[in-house]
Amino acid sequence: MKNQKLNKIQKKAVEDVCNPVLIFAGAGSGKTRVLTHKIVHLIEKGLFKPEEILAVTFTNKAAEEMSKRVQSLLKQKNVSLNIGTFHSICSRLLRQEIHRLGFSKDFVIYDVQDQTALIRVVMDELNIARSYVDPKSVRNKISFYKNKLMDFEEAKRSARTVLDKTICDIFKKYQSSLKKNNALDFDDLLLFPLVLFEEFPDVLKKYQEKWKYILVDEYQDTNRPQFLFISSIATAHNQICVVGDDDQSIYGWRGADIRNILDFEKTFPGCEIYKLEQNYRSTQQILNAASAVVKNNEDRALKELKAMNGAGDRLGLLETNDEMEEADALISVLEKEIKMNKRTFSDFAVLYRTNAQSRALEDSLRQNGIPYKIIGGIRFYERKEVKDLLAYLQLLVNKQDTISLRRVINFPPRGIGLKTVDKCVQEAKKCKKELFDVLGDPSKMNIRGKQAEELKTFYEIMSKYNDLLDKLNAGELVRTLVDETGMLKHYKKQDTLEDQERINNINEVLNSVDEFMTRSPNAMLTDFLEEVSLLTGIDNWNDQENRVTLMTVHSAKGLEFPVVFLTGMEDGLFPLYNALQDKQELEEERRLFYVGLTRAKQNVFLLYANNRRRAGAEQFYGLVSRFIGEIPEDHLENINFSSALTRKVIGSKRGYSKMEVKRTVTVFDDFRVGDLVKHAIFGVGKIMALSGSGENQRVGVVFKDGLKKKLIVKFAKLKKVS
């Protein structure tokens, strides 16, 4: 849609500046285009200065794209734009205001690893065994409380079990430990501005006057704290435009509230509502299939998407025996698409519900020599050697950060064991000093010999570079620190391929610091650390690489590909088993499936397995996903993939074998998906899956009491119920 003008509805939404505006933007309807044009309209018409406009997105990649488009349309560079994610906007605000809450502006942001490490320390101090409660579970529970705007006292009042009360005790100490470390977690970044707004009305007034027009992208994904942040600022002027699609609300599990978009009119009375229903991404076949599924949700706004790219092909449906055959079938279809339709590897996205599904897919891709990349695996900045270097830098800017201190005090190995660290912790408590400050005098803690020397050397190095923070360029400072600590020397000594990779990763961090300083010459090391801490997996995605992309459906949000494979389409996997018992969760799973389908521009292939290995050796027998049953038959084309014993193998120039795939419409004997049938024992049920033919025909039936059975037709003696 880059070279097209705004359509009629888009133009109206852009030019409406008299009222609060809600834009329901269906998948592929050009919402980013509308947002960027609206920002430009506000500036060019002289309605608002660039610095008076706040635009909020959910990923750094989206913020960067929006900023580039606005500057391009304005034909100006270095326009003072406030465009960023909720976390980055709030972080910037807190750097200015957090001193009012007893923190220093040099606070560090703890990622998931850091949070878990701190919770382990807290649990040890409270003598709570990790066998009793997992630190990761505690972290998730604390995050849940924070998203619900509950402090530890309120959480404890609501606790019903001894375990929940214990978690609340950990929560209390965890929060005080964060403050002691001058650290915030991701949830705090959103919560603390609200605390400031409530306790210091002048702070709220300041930002109401600063940001006079608010735009929010992906509004359906906002949680309670994000909603309150936006509404607190926007209600002063009532100048707000939000864009979203309730059918793409897929983050309820992390606190997103679909009611924020559905109840927007209640929050901002008199708002104008626009529906963007022209789709510039997908074919009509894909849109019709996606709409047919999501229409089964009750909690949604009505909309009808119309494709601008023609009718297109039906969605391919592949039944396979197990996850290995599913992967083989996928490869075969992929190779056929490359051969017949001149596609490249980067045209394909393979989506799955859970990360665990990627293993069989990866194995098959590797065996067939097909290049691929995984989005959402271990991120670059989460790798051990990278985290070690970042911990040094975090300690450098914030000597109160005990989690980073514990991480690097014996890396590279200095002979400083846990007992020595415990002695330092006890001394700090006794003297009421920071842990870092006691390291310079080991004799006070009865630490002698080599350990004492190493402690003192570590203390002196970190103190020296802390003093140099304002005197040296960040790039120069980090390179010198790496050299003096001996990180690279340590890995060079090991001399393995893995260690060479670690050396490369450390050098890559050094390069990223240099690049950051080139982009922002006046920035501080704190700014670099903040940028790194707020990166998401998708921010590193490069669509120029000629590789097949593998990712969860959640990770695919906001992306598009010519061809999309949706794998693991079985009840219990997609939708997840737990969602089958809960209406709201099932509706969110359905929205997630809708998101998966609408990532595709031209073709969708749906794959399911009759048998799938779960939890090691356990075999799971599944029924085809109910979502496939919700797609009208005339939008589906069954692709017959031969079984492992009978598939036709043909030669390949690349030295591997591949399976021939025949595209045919499979006709089953007497039964169809959706038929009501009666069984002599189990009663009336609905056919959800079909496989095989003749004497080997099998049906998957869900009976009225929820009982699921896979039956061989010739033995089951099923009767159709009209």
Side-chain angles (χ1 to χ4, degrees):
M1 191 177 169
K2 287 181 182 176
N3 300 317
Q4 295 176 352
K5 293 181 179 180
L6 295 171
N7 64 42
K8 189 176 176 182
I9 301 297
Q10 289 175 331
K11 194 168 185 291
K12 279 186 176 181
V14 164
E15 294 177 353
D16 189 341
V17 293
C18 300
N19 310 286
V21 173
L22 167 62
I23 303 172
F24 282 110
S29 62
K31 65 179 178 63
T32 305
R33 182 177 177 81
V34 169
L35 279 174
T36 52
H37 275 77
K38 195 168 185 78
I39 293 170
V40 171
H41 179 79
L42 294 171
I43 295 170
E44 286 187 338
K45 294 295 179 182
L47 300 168
F48 297 94
K49 297 174 184 174
E51 60 270 22
E52 293 176 331
I53 301 168
L54 174 67
V56 192
T57 67
F58 270 81
T59 67
N60 295 294
K61 196 175 185 73
E64 188 180 341
E65 175 68 16
M66 193 181 295
S67 185
K68 283 180 180 174
R69 287 201 201 182
V70 170
Q71 289 184 356
S72 174
L73 288 166
L74 288 171
K75 297 183 172 58
Q76 297 178 46
K77 289 186 177 179
N78 303 317
V79 183
S80 181
L81 298 169
N82 296 299
I83 301 176
T85 64
F86 274 101
H87 287 95
S88 66
I89 295 290
C90 288
S91 182
R92 274 180 248 161
L93 183 155
L94 291 171
R95 295 285 176 203
Q96 301 295 317
E97 313 294 345
I98 202 166
H99 62 277
R100 298 171 185 252
L101 300 178
F103 289 78
S104 155
K105 68 175 182 177
D106 295 326
F107 64 83
V108 293
I109 302 167
Y110 277 1
D111 65 12
V112 168
Q113 287 187 38
D114 298 327
Q115 292 167 43
T116 308
L118 181 59
I119 286 168
R120 288 195 191 103
V121 171
V122 167
M123 287 174 64
D124 290 344
E125 290 176 354
L126 294 173
N127 293 315
I128 299 169
R130 293 172 202 174
S131 57
Y132 178 60
V133 58
D134 179 39
K136 290 180 182 177
S137 300
V138 175
R139 187 196 71 227
N140 291 337
K141 194 74 173 181
I142 290 173
S143 182
F144 170 81
Y145 288 139
K146 288 186 175 184
N147 274 301
K148 295 292 182 184
L149 302 177
M150 299 168 71
D151 59 18
F152 46 81
E153 290 175 354
E154 191 178 350
K156 196 160 187 175
R157 285 195 296 273
S158 69
R160 294 289 179 266
T161 66
V162 174
L163 178 59
D164 281 346
K165 287 178 181 176
T166 303
I167 290 173
C168 292
D169 292 334
I170 299 170
F171 181 10
K172 183 177 181 180
K173 192 165 181 63
Y174 165 78
Q175 209 57 35
S176 65
S177 298
L178 278 174
K179 190 168 186 176
K180 193 175 176 184
N181 287 355
N182 195 37
L184 276 65
D185 63 24
F186 290 120
D187 294 316
D188 290 335
L189 289 176
L190 302 178
L191 289 174
F192 281 15
L194 301 180
V195 175
L196 285 164
F197 290 169
E198 187 174 347
E199 295 184 6
F200 304 94
D202 60 308
V203 174
L204 174 59
K205 191 176 179 184
K206 174 181 173 180
Y207 289 94
Q208 286 174 336
E209 291 175 357
K210 179 181 174 72
W211 296 320
K212 293 177 180 174
Y213 199 98
I214 315 290
L215 301 101
V216 188
D217 192 12
E218 305 285 4
Y219 190 68
Q220 79 281 347
D221 291 332
T222 53
N223 60 20
R224 185 69 180 164
Q226 290 161 339
F227 164 77
L228 289 173
F229 177 78
I230 290 298
S231 58
S232 296
I233 297 168
T235 47
H237 304 283
N238 235 25
Q239 298 282 6
I240 182 170
C241 172
V242 303
V243 181
D245 182 6
D246 52 309
D247 288 335
Q248 296 187 69
S249 178
I250 59 174
Y251 294 111
W253 51 275
R254 70 181 189 195
D257 188 350
I258 195 172
R259 298 309 318 172
N260 289 347
I261 189 167
L262 294 177
D263 294 342
F264 184 81
E265 289 179 89
K266 294 179 183 176
T267 310
F268 295 94
C271 75
E272 289 292 333
I273 299 175
Y274 299 91
K275 293 183 180 180
L276 306 185
E277 296 176 307
Q278 290 185 19
N279 177 285
Y280 297 90
R281 177 189 300 151
S282 307
T283 65
Q284 197 63 55
Q285 287 274 16
I286 294 170
L287 295 181
N288 287 349
S291 296
V293 175
V294 83
K295 279 177 181 176
N296 289 279
N297 281 357
E298 294 176 13
D299 222 5
R300 65 184 295 267
L302 294 175
K303 62 190 81 69
E304 293 289 338
L305 293 182
K306 300 177 184 71
M308 300 292 105
N309 293 333
D313 298 331
R314 288 180 290 174
L315 285 65
L317 180 61
L318 287 88
E319 177 192 16
T320 61
N321 184 53
D322 53 32
E323 68 268 27
M324 289 160 303
E325 188 173 281
E326 178 185 61
D328 289 345
L330 186 150
I331 298 292
S332 296
V333 174
L334 184 148
E335 289 184 335
K336 186 179 181 207
E337 283 288 321
I338 288 174
K339 186 178 178 181
M340 302 296 290
N341 296 316
K342 310 296 184 204
R343 298 199 185 279
T344 61
F345 293 125
S346 59
D347 287 340
F348 301 94
V350 180
L351 309 184
Y352 34 77
R353 182 63 184 83
T354 65
N355 278 307
Q357 292 167 248
S358 73
R359 184 203 53 82
L361 298 164
E362 284 187 78
D363 287 349
S364 191
L365 288 163
R366 275 197 304 269
Q367 289 162 11
N368 287 281
I370 293 174
Y372 68 92
K373 57 192 170 192
I374 292 184
I375 307 298
I378 296 177
R379 292 191 290 138
F380 177 77
Y381 289 103
E382 290 173 351
R383 294 169 185 171
K384 181 190 177 303
E385 62 279 6
V386 175
K387 278 288 293 178
D388 289 339
L389 174 51
L390 292 177
Y392 266 108
L393 303 186
Q394 291 195 163
L395 182 61
L396 198 62
V397 301
N398 177 23
K399 292 188 289 185
Q400 294 168 250
D401 183 1
T402 60
I403 295 302
S404 293
L405 174 59
R406 287 170 181 266
R407 184 175 185 109
V408 299
I409 196 167
N410 196 39
F411 178 80
R414 303 185 173 91
I416 302 172
L418 291 174
K419 286 185 179 177
T420 303
V421 175
D422 286 341
K423 282 184 181 178
C424 297
V425 170
Q426 293 305 317
E427 179 68 16
K429 281 183 180 176
K430 189 173 88 177
C431 301
K432 296 182 179 177
K433 290 184 176 180
E434 298 295 340
L435 178 57
F436 180 84
D437 293 334
V438 303
L439 304 182
D441 194 356
S443 60
K444 275 193 174 183
M445 296 169 284
N446 236 2
I447 300 170
R448 320 249 178 238
K450 188 173 183 301
Q451 283 190 330
E453 288 175 23
E454 292 290 352
L455 263 183
K456 203 164 180 182
T457 300
F458 175 77
Y459 173 80
E460 288 170 352
I461 288 172
M462 297 310 295
S463 296
K464 178 175 82 174
Y465 284 95
N466 181 263
D467 291 338
L468 291 170
L469 268 175
D470 299 327
K471 298 169 186 167
L472 285 180
N473 172 278
E476 186 183 352
L477 183 138
V478 174
R479 287 180 183 277
T480 315
L481 176 69
V482 166
D483 187 57
E484 192 159 349
T485 56
M487 267 183 270
L488 290 175
K489 286 180 187 173
H490 168 71
Y491 287 124
K492 283 174 182 174
K493 279 182 192 174
Q494 314 300 312
D495 198 28
T496 67
L497 285 173
E498 186 180 86
D499 288 299
Q500 185 55 54
E501 181 66 21
R502 288 179 169 168
I503 291 169
N504 293 341
N505 288 338
I506 289 172
N507 284 325
E508 187 58 33
V509 176
L510 298 177
N511 292 337
S512 68
V513 176
D514 290 339
E515 288 168 10
F516 178 79
M517 295 310 298
T518 303
R519 280 188 281 123
S520 312
N522 299 319
M524 310 292 289
L525 187 57
T526 312
D527 300 314
F528 170 74
L529 291 170
E530 179 176 302
E531 180 174 277
V532 168
S533 67
L534 298 177
L535 283 174
T536 63
I538 201 64
D539 292 323
N540 297 318
W541 181 68
N542 181 2
D543 60 0
Q544 301 305 307
E545 293 180 275
N546 190 22
R547 298 171 179 268
V548 177
T549 301
L550 276 66
M551 64 179 97
T552 64
V553 190
H554 278 103
S555 298
K557 179 78 177 296
L559 304 179
E560 58 182 40
F561 302 87
V563 184
V564 167
F565 293 96
L566 275 159
T567 62
M569 292 307 306
E570 302 119 44
D571 266 6
L573 186 55
F574 199 178
L576 291 174
Y577 181 76
N578 290 341
L580 299 176
Q581 318 302 321
D582 185 283
K583 176 179 171 289
Q584 283 188 331
E585 286 186 29
L586 184 61
E587 290 205 351
E588 179 150 317
E589 290 283 303
R590 191 174 278 115
R591 291 193 294 269
L592 186 60
F593 181 56
Y594 174 89
V595 166
L597 289 177
T598 54
R599 297 313 90 200
K601 294 181 180 180
Q602 295 156 12
N603 292 102
V604 171
F605 296 96
L606 305 166
L607 296 92
Y608 67 98
N610 292 318
N611 307 280
R612 190 174 296 273
R613 198 170 297 278
R614 300 265 189 95
E618 183 186 344
Q619 201 77 7
F620 175 82
Y621 300 92
L623 293 173
V624 63
S625 170
R626 63 192 58 204
F627 298 155
I628 288 177
E630 292 170 359
I631 299 173
E633 284 186 19
D634 58 352
H635 295 313
L636 293 172
E637 181 180 6
N638 288 287
I639 297 176
N640 184 28
F641 181 75
S642 306
S643 70
L645 295 173
T646 61
R647 67 183 69 161
K648 183 181 177 182
V649 178
I650 56 178
S652 168
K653 293 178 182 178
R654 285 181 284 182
Y656 59 85
S657 297
K658 57 185 179 180
M659 285 64 66
E660 186 181 63
V661 177
K662 298 176 182 177
R663 288 180 71 91
T664 60
V665 178
T666 304
V667 180
F668 294 101
D669 294 350
D670 298 313
F671 298 106
R672 290 179 173 272
V673 171
D675 282 351
L676 291 178
V677 292
K678 189 173 182 180
H679 188 275
I681 297 173
F682 306 124
V684 177
K686 187 177 182 180
I687 295 178
M688 303 301 292
L690 284 161
S691 63
S693 60
E695 288 193 345
N696 297 317
Q697 188 181 42
R698 294 182 296 169
V699 293
V701 186
V702 178
F703 293 95
K704 283 193 172 179
D705 59 357
L707 181 69
K708 297 177 184 177
K709 287 288 180 182
K710 199 156 201 173
L711 307 167
I712 299 172
V713 171
K714 76 173 180 179
F715 298 127
K717 295 182 180 177
L718 295 172
K719 293 181 181 177
K720 283 189 181 181
V721 179
S722 54

